Amino acid sequence: MSTPLAVPANCLTPYLIIADAAKAMAFYQRVFGATELFRLADAAGKIGHAEMRIGEATLMLADEYPDFGALGPARVGGTPVTLHLYVADVDATVGLALDAQATLLRPVKDEFFGDRTATIVDPFGHRWHLATRVETVSPEEMQRRWDSAMAG
């Protein structure tokens, strides 16, 4: 483990509440190549706060604490939030995720906006939109392609 990073102002950081944060951390390490920065855990191992790095981004997470209103997706009927993560190889990452018990929502596919994408739900109820950039597309070209797709 390393030390916490200095955080710049105006830095948006996802904070996930998870029914089994330690297992989720292992999943994120295996599937996304996350690195654990640190964790604060009680004597029983319940995580009150942890931080990980995925690429250049920090991910914060903790176990559920219902008495504080900290509830994971299963307790609130799922999540309306999707985490978007660029990866080096979306096909390989989806394969790792499925091997680690993630659920595939949208299969890998090339998109009009230049990304190869897929959507999974991790075993802890959090939805991830995974992508690999395969083509750089200007906003004008994206709009043209969007208009064409919407026209049928």
Side-chain angles (χ1 to χ4, degrees):
M1 285 186 279
S2 57
T3 59
L5 300 172
V7 180
N10 299 317
C11 180
L12 179 64
T13 303
Y15 201 118
L16 305 181
I17 304 301
I18 302 169
D20 191 336
K23 280 187 182 176
M25 291 174 76
F27 177 91
Y28 301 146
Q29 287 171 328
R30 176 177 174 206
V31 175
F32 303 139
T35 302
E36 181 178 333
L37 299 177
F38 73 98
R39 70 175 77 185
L40 305 174
D42 65 18
K46 187 172 181 177
I47 296 173
H49 178 81
E51 295 185 13
M52 303 185 85
R53 294 288 287 175
I54 301 175
E56 296 299 313
T58 299
L59 175 66
M60 295 179 181
L61 56 124
D63 273 304
E64 291 184 315
Y65 283 86
D67 47 330
F68 292 115
L71 306 172
R75 288 196 193 239
V76 297
T79 180
V81 175
T82 299
L83 300 162
H84 190 284
L85 179 63
Y86 278 103
V87 296
D89 182 340
V90 70
D91 295 90
T93 302
V94 168
L96 285 172
L98 297 179
D99 287 347
Q101 306 307 308
T103 301
L104 185 64
L105 290 184
R106 289 182 43 218
V108 178
K109 139 182 186 183
D110 290 333
E111 297 287 358
F112 71 91
F113 45 86
D115 290 351
R116 186 162 173 77
T117 71
T119 305
I120 64 162
V121 175
D122 70 29
F124 315 96
H126 292 283
R127 188 172 46 227
W128 296 80
H129 187 76
L130 305 173
T132 299
R133 177 66 41 91
V134 294
E135 176 187 12
T136 301
V137 180
S138 72
E140 296 81 17
E141 178 62 15
M142 264 190 254
Q143 184 66 55
R144 188 193 68 70
R145 292 177 183 184
W146 171 263
D147 292 343
S148 177
M150 293 299 107

